[in-house]
């Protein structure tokens, strides 16, 4: 009863906080200028209704704060000129460093000069953003994207709403006072749009924190080749509405994004936004991880906007935010404007003499074949995958090899068809952090009062040189086991609990949870900056606690995002940062008809319930193909079939997303 009352009180207190009046005033609707409207601003929304001296009752309208991307003061002028991107034609010849540059690295000089090139200018009509006719008009414009039901459909999507308010003549007479009052409203709405829980006093303070500048990278050849057109027509206007500064660059050759990430000063930018498919994100992340200061640079937030044919990470971010996937550009840009910085898992993939950092998937078999062989149809957009799937199912291939993996929980093969066992062992892995961070099993209070949490938690901070202690970078794996009390009687009294801090034993009514800690130490690889304590050398056998499967496979896919495309919900239960890899396997023997039905069920994630699909959560895996034919795709990039192994890097990267 007490707990229920506490929750009710907390909910009441939160509701009262959201409905707290922050500002009140009288304005006219612009450009109509008919009638006076009372405006009330709360953390929940901007409410407005006509002021009437009669008994007429007007419906109060509301623009939800959660739908607002930005607020700008009414500005005088005609058409609006905004920045486009730095075009490849402007740097057709090699850039030369400026004479007064003191940088000793010529590549860094070139990168700086490159970013100083003049971008293309874009013109938008004045009525698109609602401009004032003269400088004596004071007010503000609210840009919002509320949900609206689609015509002839039960689905909803966001639609643009622009509402402008002008200071009423009777409210404030002096121009300077009008300007001051307008700025107060504009600032308060802008701050709430970023964080609705901001303190009331912060909305009225005189200093407004500027939005960090974004570096936007655009691949004009990605997918159907419309990325820059999408950027100019759909993305630039919302960046203006949200008052987000940016510099946009069009990449002009393969590997260009990786080169920029290795050479530019990333501390000059708040974040890097990719307008492309998943290939440019792959280049960006791997370019960052090749820097000497990768440990700090990987914390630079990465945003993504759809401009390619796959757009899997965009789909996953939208899915996590509860935003529709159609139209994807609109909803992805909305998330970018409203984003928070969210940790995202990476996976380090080791192939002979090279390490690759993956954010999406590793595939082998039919899915990799479809991805690679459909490249010739890239002008069709995502339809290329459907066409490629039909072609490959008709000419079905089977590949032989071995897959080994370290499961998160006890592994039970599909063919046994036994009821699921109670988990007797759960593994978790975290990269050991700097000395000032807490252990994953520590509650942060003291060493004498440890706890066992029901959710896996991961610590992903890494020291500047990528080492944990001295020259021995380490990870930690916690093993959780469950068993009955020794006498089997369950004689613990209800709600009784005993904590033994030395052995990490937690006793409840009938079960005992024992937590053991194993520490894996390993030297840093010559070709990888990140420690990989779960992975043995590629030319040595895997540890005994790994599972090994051999035979013929139609598909092996290691996935760590929910989507592999807008119509491929590959791992419905995945999260941006959940600390494990979803490994899926389809063995030989499946019929073409069953395989077709399996692919048709991918759109809603129904394949995970198929008896033909083995799905297991793992911390690491190794793939050893027997033949050199076929394709291996890592984040949509092709690699020659070879032995490879991979390990999760929990929460190592940062992305612009909404939980």
């Amino acid at each position: 009863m007490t707990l229920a009352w506490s929750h009710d009180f907390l909910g009441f207190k939160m509701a009262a906080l959201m409905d707290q009046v922050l500002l009140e005033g009288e304005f006219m609707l612009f450009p109509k200028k008919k009638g006076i409207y009372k405006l009330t601003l709360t953390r929940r929304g901007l409410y407005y209704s006509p002021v009437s001296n009669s008994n007429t009752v007007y419906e109060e309208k509301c623009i939800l704060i959660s739908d607002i991307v930005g607020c700008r003061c009414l500005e005088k002028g005609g058409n609006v000129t905004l920045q486009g991107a730095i075009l490849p034609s402007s740097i057709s010849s090699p850039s030369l460093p400026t004479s007064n540059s003191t940088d000793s690295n010529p590549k860094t000089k070139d990168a700086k000069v490159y970013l100083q090139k003049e971008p293309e200018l874009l013109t938008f009509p004045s009525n698109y953003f609602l401009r004032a006719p003269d400088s004596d008009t004071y007010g503000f414009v609210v840009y919002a994207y509320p949900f609206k039901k689609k015509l002839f459909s039960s689905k909803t999507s966001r639609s643009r709403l622009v509402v402008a308010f002008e200071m009423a003549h009777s409210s404030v007479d002096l121009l300077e006072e009008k300007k001051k009052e307008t700025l107060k409203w504009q600032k308060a709405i802008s701050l709430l749009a970023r964080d609705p829980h901001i303190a009331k006093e912060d909305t009225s303070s005189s200093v407004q924190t500027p939005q960090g500048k974004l570096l936007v990278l655009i691949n004009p050849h990605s997918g159907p080749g419309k990325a820059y057109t999408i950027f100019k027509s759909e993305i630039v206007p919302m960046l203006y509405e949200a008052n987000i500064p940016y510099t946009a660059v069009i990449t002009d050759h393969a590997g260009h994004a990786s080169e920029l990430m290795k050479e530019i000063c990333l501390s000059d930018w708040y974040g890097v936004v990719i307008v492309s498919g998943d290939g440019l994100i792959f280049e960006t992340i791997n370019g960052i991880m090749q820097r000497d200061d990768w440990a700090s640079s990987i914390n630079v937030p990465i945003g993504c906007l759809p401009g390619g044919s796959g757009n899997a990470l965009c789909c996953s971010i939208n899915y996590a935010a509860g935003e529709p996937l159609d139209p994807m550009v609109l909803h992805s840009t909305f998330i970018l404007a409203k984003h928070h910085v969210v940790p995202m898992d990476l996976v380090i993939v080791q192939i002979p003499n090279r390490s690759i950092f993956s954010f999406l998937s590793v595939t082998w078999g039919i899915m990799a074949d479809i991805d690679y062989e459909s490249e010739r149809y890239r002008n069709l957009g995502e339809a290329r995958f459907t066409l490629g799937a039909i072609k490959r199912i008709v000419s079905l291939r089977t590949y032989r090899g071995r897959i080994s993996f370290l499961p998160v929980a006890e592994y039970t093969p599909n063919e046994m068809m036994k009821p699921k066992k109670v988990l007797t062992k759960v593994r978790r892995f975290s990269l050991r952090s700097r000395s000032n961070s807490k252990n994953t099993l520590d509650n942060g209070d003291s060493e004498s009062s440890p706890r066992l949490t029901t959710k896996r938690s991961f610590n992903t901070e890494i020291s500047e040189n990528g080492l944990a202690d001295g020259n021995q970078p380490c990870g930690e794996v916690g093993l959780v086991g469950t068993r009955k009390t020794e006498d089997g009687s369950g004689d613990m009294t209800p709600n009784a609990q005993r904590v033994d801090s030395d052995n990490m034993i937690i006793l409840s009514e009938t079960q005992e949870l024992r937590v053991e800690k194993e520490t894996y130490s390993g030297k840093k690889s010559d070709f990888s900056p990140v420690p990989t304590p779960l992975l043995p050398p590629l030319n040595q056998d895997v540890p005994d606690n790994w599972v090994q499967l051999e035979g013929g496979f139609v598909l092996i896919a290691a996935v760590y995002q929910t989507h592999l495309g807008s119509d491929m919900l590959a791992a419905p239960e995945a999260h941006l940062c959940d600390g494990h890899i979803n490994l899926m396997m389809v063995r030989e023997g499946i019929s073409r008809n069953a395989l077709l039905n399996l692919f048709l069920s991918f759109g809603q994630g129904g394949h995970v319930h198929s008896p033909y699909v083995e799905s297991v959560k793992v911390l690491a895996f190794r793939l050893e193909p027997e033949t050199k034919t076929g394709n291996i795709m890592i984040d949509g990039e092709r690699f020659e079939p070879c032995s490879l192994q991979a390990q999760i890097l929990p929460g190592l990267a940062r992305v612009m997303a909404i939980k």
Side-chain angles (χ1 to χ4, degrees):
M1 181 68 69
T2 303
L3 184 60
W5 181 88
S6 176
H7 285 170
D8 291 342
F9 176 76
L10 184 61
F12 174 79
K13 187 175 181 181
M14 182 62 68
L17 180 66
M18 295 299 289
D19 291 328
Q20 179 186 18
V21 175
L22 303 177
L23 288 175
E24 284 185 309
E26 292 185 350
F27 290 78
M28 296 183 294
L29 277 179
F30 178 87
K32 296 179 179 179
K33 300 186 179 183
K34 292 182 180 180
I36 304 298
Y37 284 74
K38 178 185 177 182
L39 267 64
T40 303
L41 179 65
T42 72
R43 290 181 178 84
R44 193 182 304 277
L46 176 64
Y47 299 85
Y48 61 102
S49 60
V51 176
S52 174
N53 295 323
S54 65
N55 293 326
T56 305
V57 178
Y58 295 98
E59 181 183 358
E60 186 177 55
K61 295 183 178 181
C62 175
I63 307 174
L64 295 176
I65 293 296
S66 59
D67 295 334
I68 297 174
V69 297
C71 179
R72 299 181 68 96
C73 291
L74 270 173
E75 298 173 290
K76 177 187 175 182
N79 295 338
V80 181
T81 301
L82 302 177
Q83 288 188 359
I86 299 172
L87 303 177
S89 58
S90 65
I91 54 162
S92 56
S93 59
S95 302
L96 296 177
T98 55
S99 58
N100 58 355
S101 174
T102 58
D103 199 326
S104 59
N105 188 338
K107 289 186 177 180
T108 304
K109 296 175 187 177
D110 290 353
K112 291 179 179 177
V113 173
Y114 179 90
L115 296 175
Q116 292 171 358
K117 295 290 182 180
E118 291 297 324
E120 180 186 12
L121 298 180
L122 310 175
T123 302
F124 294 86
S126 60
N127 60 354
Y128 190 80
F129 298 111
L130 291 185
R131 307 281 279 188
D134 55 66
S135 57
D136 293 334
T137 302
Y138 289 94
F140 58 90
V141 188
V142 177
Y143 300 99
Y145 290 81
F147 278 107
K148 185 177 180 180
K149 188 176 179 181
K150 290 184 177 181
L151 191 63
F152 307 119
S153 174
S154 60
K155 296 181 179 180
T156 60
S157 65
R158 295 191 180 274
S159 59
R160 187 171 184 263
L161 174 67
V162 183
V163 183
F165 300 93
E166 181 184 350
M167 287 289 298
H169 298 298
S170 59
S171 58
V172 179
D173 293 329
L174 297 177
L175 293 180
E176 193 61 33
E177 289 297 318
K178 284 187 175 183
K179 182 178 180 181
K180 184 177 179 181
E181 184 71 9
T182 296
L183 285 171
K184 182 170 68 173
W185 279 83
Q186 183 270 331
K187 178 195 170 184
I189 295 172
S190 297
L191 289 174
L192 288 172
R194 295 188 200 174
D195 181 9
H197 302 290
I198 193 169
K200 181 177 181 179
E201 55 270 19
D202 291 335
T203 63
S204 57
S205 61
S206 58
V207 180
Q208 182 172 353
T209 305
Q211 185 83 359
K213 192 171 186 178
L214 298 177
L215 174 61
V216 181
L217 302 181
I218 306 167
N219 180 3
H221 305 297
S222 179
K226 298 180 180 179
Y228 188 42
T229 300
I230 291 171
F231 175 75
K232 291 192 293 184
S233 61
E234 302 183 57
I235 298 171
V236 166
M238 200 183 296
L239 295 179
Y240 170 80
E241 294 166 356
N243 198 22
I244 297 176
Y246 64 89
T247 293
V249 175
I250 291 184
T251 59
D252 59 359
H253 59 271
H256 192 180
S258 181
E259 294 168 7
L260 282 174
M261 290 302 100
K262 286 188 287 186
E263 303 300 339
I264 65 173
C265 181
L266 282 174
S267 61
D268 292 343
W269 307 92
Y270 164 74
V272 180
V273 175
I274 308 301
V275 185
S276 178
D278 298 309
L280 209 64
I281 304 173
F282 176 82
E283 280 191 28
T284 299
I285 290 175
N286 280 274
I288 291 175
M289 293 304 295
Q290 293 179 51
R291 296 172 63 102
D292 292 336
D293 61 348
W294 66 269
S296 58
S297 295
I298 196 61
N299 290 320
V300 173
I302 295 174
C304 62
L305 299 172
S309 53
N311 307 311
L313 185 57
C314 281
C315 294
S316 300
I317 290 175
N318 280 31
Y319 187 80
E323 292 288 321
L325 301 185
D326 181 35
M328 194 184 301
V329 176
L330 172 65
H331 294 103
S332 295
T333 312
F334 177 84
I335 290 174
L336 184 74
K338 301 280 290 183
H339 80 273
H340 300 284
V341 177
V342 175
M344 181 180 74
D345 294 341
L346 293 183
V347 167
I348 182 170
V349 183
Q350 294 180 351
I351 60 177
N353 301 320
R354 184 181 175 189
S355 287
I356 300 158
F357 294 90
S358 169
F359 68 92
L360 180 61
S361 64
V362 177
T363 59
W364 179 57
I366 187 171
M367 195 174 291
D369 293 344
I370 293 170
D371 196 359
Y372 178 67
E373 294 172 6
S374 64
E375 275 287 321
R376 67 189 69 178
Y377 315 121
R378 62 183 304 120
N379 60 318
L380 298 178
E382 287 201 346
R384 64 178 257 208
F385 300 113
T386 303
L387 182 60
I390 295 173
K391 181 179 178 181
R392 188 44 49 217
I393 290 173
V394 171
S395 303
L396 187 60
R397 301 169 181 163
T398 299
Y399 295 100
R400 299 197 63 81
R402 177 191 299 158
I403 181 73
S404 309
F405 52 86
L406 177 64
V408 170
E410 184 176 14
Y411 170 72
T412 303
N414 266 14
E415 60 264 25
M416 294 181 68
M417 295 299 176
K418 293 181 179 179
K420 290 186 177 179
K421 296 181 179 180
V422 176
L423 300 185
T424 59
K425 187 176 290 185
V426 176
R427 297 182 177 89
R428 54 185 173 182
F429 167 72
S430 68
L431 295 172
R432 181 174 291 178
S433 69
R434 299 182 179 91
S435 59
N436 62 349
S437 61
K438 299 178 180 64
N439 187 281
T440 55
L441 298 178
D442 188 11
N443 65 359
D445 298 329
S446 67
E447 292 183 359
S448 62
S449 58
R451 68 172 180 172
L452 176 65
T453 57
T454 56
K455 292 184 178 180
R456 286 183 300 278
S457 59
F458 299 96
N459 196 329
T460 58
E461 295 183 35
I462 303 174
S463 58
E464 287 294 326
N465 59 1
L467 303 181
D469 298 310
N471 61 355
Q472 293 292 322
C474 300
E476 297 177 355
V477 174
L479 303 181
V480 181
T482 64
R483 63 179 175 86
K484 296 280 186 179
T485 52
E486 291 183 3
D487 58 4
S489 61
D491 56 358
M492 296 289 294
T493 57
N495 300 322
Q497 189 178 68
R498 178 172 65 83
V499 178
D500 185 337
S501 61
D502 293 329
N503 298 316
M504 292 293 290
I505 300 174
I506 299 178
L507 297 178
S508 61
E509 294 182 25
T510 60
Q511 289 186 326
E512 176 183 306
L513 303 181
R514 180 183 298 274
V515 178
E516 301 171 358
K517 190 188 300 181
E518 295 180 1
T519 301
Y520 293 79
S521 301
K523 293 183 178 180
K524 185 175 64 173
S525 170
D526 293 336
F527 48 89
S528 170
V530 180
T532 53
L534 298 181
L535 299 178
L538 196 53
N539 59 357
Q540 294 182 11
D541 292 338
V542 297
D544 293 337
N545 60 344
W546 285 42
V547 177
Q548 296 188 57
L549 303 175
E550 291 188 69
F553 296 90
V554 172
L555 162 68
I556 289 180
V559 183
Y560 11 104
Q561 303 295 344
T562 55
H563 286 71
L564 293 180
S566 64
D567 58 349
M568 292 193 71
L569 182 55
E573 296 182 356
H575 298 279
L576 292 170
C577 181
D578 53 17
H580 60 254
I581 300 166
N582 298 279
L583 184 63
M584 294 184 295
M585 298 165 284
V586 177
R587 304 200 197 192
E588 63 180 345
I590 184 173
S591 67
R592 288 176 174 80
N593 185 54
L595 189 59
L596 177 61
N597 290 331
L598 189 65
F599 270 87
L600 291 176
S601 67
F602 257 101
Q604 302 299 322
H607 63 285
V608 297
H609 305 296
S610 170
Y612 298 103
V613 177
E614 293 183 74
S615 183
V616 57
K617 294 177 173 61
V618 305
L619 299 177
F621 70 92
R622 176 183 289 181
L623 174 63
E624 299 171 280
E626 286 187 8
T627 63
K628 299 301 181 182
T629 58
N631 306 285
I632 288 179
M633 304 295 286
I634 303 177
D635 295 357
E637 302 295 317
R638 183 185 184 274
F639 293 84
E640 291 290 339
C642 62
S643 295
L644 62 82
Q645 59 185 11
Q647 171 196 295
I648 192 73
L649 301 174
L652 185 62
R654 301 290 181 268
V655 290
M656 303 176 194
I658 299 175
K659 291 184 179 179

